[in-house]
Amino acid sequence: MGELSWLTSRPIAHRGLHDMNKTRWENTRAAFRAAVERNYTIECDVHLASDGVPVVFHDEELARLTGGDGRIWQRTSAEMGALRVGGTAEQVPTLSQLLELVSGAVPLIIELKGVAGHDTGLVDAVLGSLSSYKGHAALMSFDHWIVRDLGRKSGNLPVGLTATGSSPSDMEAHFSMLANGLSFVSYDVSNLPNAFVSFVRERLSLPVITWTVRNAEDAQKTLRYADQMTFEGFDP
């Protein structure tokens, strides 16, 4: 785990250090600047815009974050960049703009959000954006097809599986992904402990981070069963 010690060395601000979308919204430059100022690792989400450019945005649909209609894959990166987030002055950044803002000051954990049928090229575009980046960065996804693609193409960049669930079928699906060269796992804190996370940590000696920690109880659960938390809504 030594070479990935940066992944777990400090708490991870979920979608940046936002204030639960009161005035400083998730996945915005303001949230990322706040995380850098507090020296937290940044977790963020990227989708592929219609022009093949990765943009930093969580949802497939535009309504919750921008009040707009439609879906992210129907807009170009320039059109996404013109949208206001939460009625604030903040606009949707591209991944390249986020990398320029952070510039290696804190580590980045980038979750690739797949939309089946509309995410072809997402992995290549993200890797292209990161090709000359000098800071620490890791990539992860819930989507098994994206993790497999990352496993084939990511080179030295760490690749993680984002996961949830505790049923036998969940465990079987997660174990099947270990054949794709995973470097870490990001797991739903509400589903800890479980056999998959125990195996990853104890048998494979890979780091496990949790999501999303919002209270002291889940922070303590992370300390017991994982290696670092992805948090929001409080100051760890």
Side-chain angles (χ1 to χ4, degrees), residues 116-170:
H118 299 284
D119 58 20
T120 301
L122 175 59
V123 166
D124 289 333
V126 169
L127 293 176
S129 295
L130 286 165
S131 61
S132 60
Y133 187 64
K134 302 302 184 186
H136 286 307
L139 305 172
M140 64 183 184
S141 185
F142 276 103
D143 301 303
H144 287 192
W145 66 92
I146 288 179
V147 174
R148 292 188 192 101
D149 207 13
L150 286 169
R152 290 190 296 266
K153 298 176 177 178
S154 65
N156 293 326
L157 285 169
V159 173
L161 175 69
T162 317
T164 187
S166 55
S167 70
S169 61
D170 292 329

Side-chain angles (χ1 to χ4, degrees), residues 108-219:
L108 283 169
I109 304 175
I110 302 165
E111 182 178 329
L112 282 69
K113 308 292 281 190
V115 180
H118 299 284
D119 58 20
T120 301
L122 175 59
V123 166
D124 289 333
V126 169
L127 293 176
S129 295
L130 286 165
S131 61
S132 60
Y133 187 64
K134 302 302 184 186
H136 286 307
L139 305 172
M140 64 183 184
S141 185
F142 276 103
D143 301 303
H144 287 192
W145 66 92
I146 288 179
V147 174
R148 292 188 192 101
D149 207 13
L150 286 169
R152 290 190 296 266
K153 298 176 177 178
S154 65
N156 293 326
L157 285 169
V159 173
L161 175 69
T162 317
T164 187
S166 55
S167 70
S169 61
D170 292 329
M171 294 296 102
E172 183 179 0
H174 301 335
F175 273 107
S176 76
M177 295 306 293
L178 293 175
N180 293 281
L182 297 182
S183 300
F184 70 100
V185 167
S186 176
Y187 216 93
D188 184 349
V189 70
S190 68
N191 294 137
L192 295 183
N194 63 66
F196 176 69
V197 165
S198 296
F199 183 87
V200 166
R201 295 184 75 216
E202 297 166 13
R203 299 291 294 277
L204 302 182
S205 297
L206 297 179
V208 173
I209 59 178
T210 60
W211 60 271
T212 301
V213 171
R214 300 183 177 94
N215 54 55
E217 180 182 356
D218 284 344

Side-chain angles (χ1 to χ4, degrees), residues 212-232:
T212 301
V213 171
R214 300 183 177 94
N215 54 55
E217 180 182 356
D218 284 344
Q220 287 300 312
K221 189 186 283 191
T222 296
L223 285 174
R224 184 172 181 182
Y225 298 115
D227 301 293
Q228 188 54 270
M229 64 178 170
T230 308
F231 74 94
E232 70 178 13

